[in-house]
Amino acid sequence: MAQIILHPAMKPKREFFKPPAIEIPHPSGTGHIPIAVSSIVIEELAKAGRRVPLFQMWSHIVGEMPPINNAYHYPQIHYPDAVLNSIQHAHACYKGVKRPLNKEDDGGDVYVYIISTPQTVEWKSDMACNVALVDSPPNTVFTVHVRPASALQIEAAGLWGAATKWEFVDADAERPTLPDAYGTRYSETVWEREG
Amino acid sequence: MNNELAFEAWLSATYKPAAAYMQDSDCVEYVAEDTVCVYQRIDEALTLVYDETGFGLVGFKLKGFRNFFEHVKEDIGLTEGHFVELCRVLEQVCLKGGEEHIGDARRKNAYRAAEKIAKRDNVQIDYKIAA
């Protein structure tokens, strides 16, 4: 049977604002769980015109380049050896953000996954492609907040929960693969695999 | 955003900075540039946002916003129909922090920096979104 080979400049068949469900390491440290990215957060970022966090959602949560024209071809010409790590490569997980969150007083149901990624994605004004590969900010780690479906009151449909926040944060001075003050900023260490 | 042309326009548009309330993480975030950002936690209420160099302050995030706003909206004297000036909310966070802020230079300076940006860019959020 003939194989269809897409031209590398073609846009991948994904809807930018509807990323697929993804499997991430279970908070228990064994096995995987299916999660979505919060559609509310996607909509809020879209309305605010924030393209960079949405590009980062694709690269560091879904684990794919953002589905826009030439994203699978053009940025790699300028940065052929770029490495984008995603939540699949998380090396630590914490629970509880120790701050009020909606009706909760301690954000105790939030799981925070920690990722080290040498490169990341940014928006740039370019007729050929609006995404570029760049080095991650120095001395930082990427964090993804995941909340269980029960806390978000979403229709689960087999999903364990949803990613509700993702961002680069300062790395700890003594253990640079972990967030600054990791020992006190979260309620509980769920697992650490290195660092 | 289903329309391909609308999406392409969104993708290539000039960024217009505006405060956004993030319901699932209960934060109000303002960044002046749509760039790779680094989030520096100051305390349970405030995070400063830096650009990719880690040196240029581009915004701030107020965490636990709805939870906090419930407690202070009457102090600020706001009712429906208002736009909430975030510099006033930051002042209230400082007041509620009281003694803790007075003796902590790092926190005091961080709040001052966030207030400065909020005033400079006249950062506001719709009361209906905040309440």
Side-chain angles (χ1 to χ4, degrees), chain B residues 4-37:
Chain B
E4 188 77 11
L5 286 175
F7 175 69
E8 291 301 328
W10 175 86
L11 198 56
S12 55
T14 303
Y15 175 64
K16 290 178 188 156
Y21 177 70
M22 304 293 174
Q23 183 185 314
D24 282 348
S25 53
D26 192 19
C27 298
V28 165
E29 185 171 324
Y30 174 79
V31 293
E33 295 173 32
D34 185 28
T35 186
V36 174
C37 295

Side-chain angles (χ1 to χ4, degrees), chain A residues 29 33 36 43 70 92 103 118 122 139 142 159 163 175-176 193:
Chain A
I33 45 169
E43 193 181 332
N70 294 333
K103 301 259 159 92
E122 74 169 4
N139 309 315
F142 196 79
L159 296 173
R175 293 182 71 185
R193 290 180 176 148

Side-chain angles (χ1 to χ4, degrees), chain A residues 44-137:
Chain A
E44 287 160 345
L45 289 169
K47 274 187 192 160
R50 300 284 306 281
R51 291 155 296 206
V52 174
L54 289 168
F55 288 177
Q56 290 173 336
M57 167 194 80
W58 278 97
S59 296
H60 302 307
I61 301 180
V62 180
E64 298 175 6
M65 285 298 281
I68 63 171
N69 286 332
N70 294 333
Y72 276 74
H73 170 63
Y74 190 75
Q76 294 78 0
I77 295 171
H78 300 278
Y79 208 144
D81 303 323
V83 174
L84 297 173
N85 286 334
S86 75
I87 194 168
Q88 291 292 342
H89 305 93
H91 57 265
C93 180
Y94 299 94
K95 187 182 180 194
V97 290
K98 289 189 178 176
R99 67 163 175 88
L101 206 155
N102 291 320
K103 301 259 159 92
E104 273 183 45
D105 284 332
D106 64 351
D109 63 21
V110 181
Y111 288 86
V112 185
Y113 287 77
I114 313 301
I115 305 151
S116 291
T117 178
Q119 279 79 40
T120 186
V121 281
E122 74 169 4
W123 179 86
K124 74 170 184 176
S125 177
D126 190 318
M127 294 284 277
C129 184
N130 285 120
V131 63
L133 292 161
V134 293
D135 289 335
S136 294

Side-chain angles (χ1 to χ4, degrees), chain B residues 18-130:
Chain B
Y21 177 70
M22 304 293 174
Q23 183 185 314
D24 282 348
S25 53
D26 192 19
C27 298
V28 165
E29 185 171 324
Y30 174 79
V31 293
E33 295 173 32
D34 185 28
T35 186
V36 174
C37 295
V38 179
Y39 292 73
Q40 187 181 84
R41 184 182 195 274
I42 301 302
D43 59 23
E44 64 171 30
L46 179 68
T47 288
L48 292 183
V49 186
Y50 290 86
D51 66 11
E52 70 281 6
T53 66
F55 293 104
L57 185 64
V58 293
F60 59 88
K61 180 157 72 174
L62 278 166
K63 300 170 286 188
F65 187 79
R66 186 160 287 176
N67 191 304
F68 179 79
F69 190 70
E70 276 300 308
H71 294 100
V72 302
K73 62 185 179 191
E74 283 176 16
D75 299 342
I76 305 176
L78 286 172
T79 54
E80 227 167 301
H82 279 92
F83 275 84
V84 182
E85 291 175 12
L86 290 186
C87 62
R88 295 183 68 191
V89 179
L90 279 158
E91 281 167 11
Q92 286 297 319
V93 178
C94 272
L95 283 173
K96 299 272 175 192
E99 292 294 318
E100 282 179 49
H101 285 258
I102 294 166
D104 188 334
R106 178 177 174 265
R107 278 171 90 179
K108 206 160 67 178
N109 288 336
Y111 276 87
R112 198 178 290 164
E115 275 183 55
K116 207 170 165 182
I117 288 186
K119 275 184 191 151
R120 181 195 71 192
D121 295 357
N122 190 24
V123 184
Q124 300 182 343
I125 193 157
D126 191 339
Y127 178 93
K128 278 176 271 181
I129 295 169

